[in-house]
Amino acid sequence: MIRFSVVLALLLMANTAYGANLVELQQMALKNREVIDRFKANLKVSEKDEIIARSNYYPSFDVSYAMNALDERTLFEERENSAVVGALTWNLFAGFGDKYNIKSARLLSQAEAYRLKGIEQDIKLLVALRYLSIRTFKANLQVAEDSYNTLLKIYKDSQSRYDVGLIRKNDLLQFKVDLDDAEITRKKAQADLKKSVQLLQREIDAVVEIDQLAFTEFDQLPILADYTEYEEEMFENRSEIKVLEETEQAIHAQVKTERARYFPRVDLTSSYSKFNEDLVIGRGLDSDEEIRTQLVVSMNLFDGFDKKSRVHRTQLQAQTIGHDLEELKQDLTTQLKNLFFDYEVSFENVDVAESSITQAEENLRITQLSYKEGLDTESDLLDAIANLSRAKGNLIAAKSEVFANYYNITRAVEGF
């Protein structure tokens, strides 16, 4: 029983994120998520398709055994007879269709590899955003806790002031209403933090201990290079672009595969046949053997415009992929530009928010002194507390937006 408990504990520890940073969480997600295994299976299927396409280069060997029972004997065939045939067939020429079929299969396999890479980048982005949301909600909870503790301290002080008749009951109730509101905000922040942990656990398919998360990635704001560098990197690395490019090339190869139908086909066949006047080979009295080698050249002269329609259909498919590729590039370019705009604005907002906190802290200090001297009202003091909480929340939101935009830009250029 003790041994079983130890093993169970080790298994649980192996599936728990202890002291993990962002890179470790992302690797854990790639290891644990079933969707990655599904795309890996798709990649293996495409690799098998390439092997299947190459199989046309090899000869095929077929064996057949036939037993015939007629209602009556004929001049050339006994009532009961059998035949065994072994044939080795090798296609020598098929208009280079096999060559381009293999090329198409190889390109489609590469496209599947890029799809796998793309889904890995998507998962890494989601993990990064979930990880960021935990840090954001944790900071928001701290702001809510600070606001609640400040109001609680002021409320207790107000009770003492009310007991000696320095303030009215209405003023005391005003503090109580804001204290209750702070309590509601604090509980909501706690719930948001717990939900964000659950979302990260779903992304990495492992247990997350929030106190063990490092969060060192958020010590400094990320700095981006020039936009043009990211745009070039996006066009060079983006999986979605690579998938369409490989698919377009594969379809162009399929066009040449379809055109191979216009060429003659050359097949070499060597067969061995044995005929016997009994249902079982070797049991009859009379048997006949034959070895035959054939070189067959065949060519279709008319098929109801099937070949022509196949070629045109495949050409249209290639054009469709080309149009989709251009649209995708335009969409990705627009998205990247907008992400840079958002990043620049959020980065500037951090400086503004930091300055606002300094001003709000000083305003609260002055208002508290004035309130104690009777120069400011309860509403002034509560407004000062709310302004400081709002300033802190704005700073958290601004920093969170900087990192969120940075992670989205990183995903846009396949930088994870």
Side-chain angles (χ1 to χ4, degrees), residues 141-153:
L141 177 59
Q142 186 61 53
V143 172
E145 294 280 1
D146 293 342
S147 178
Y148 174 80
N149 292 331
T150 300
L151 287 169
L152 180 61
K153 181 180 179 181

Side-chain angles (χ1 to χ4, degrees), residues 1 29 49 98 125 133 138 145 156 169 177 181 189 215 256 280-281 291 296 327 334 372 405 411:
M1 188 66 182
D49 289 337
D98 294 335
L125 171 62
S133 69
K138 185 178 181 181
E145 294 280 1
K156 290 181 179 180
K169 186 174 183 180
V177 169
D181 182 69
F215 295 127
K256 296 180 180 180
V280 179
I281 289 291
I291 297 177
V296 180
E327 286 291 322
T334 302
K372 290 180 181 180
N405 290 318
R411 166 63 185 97

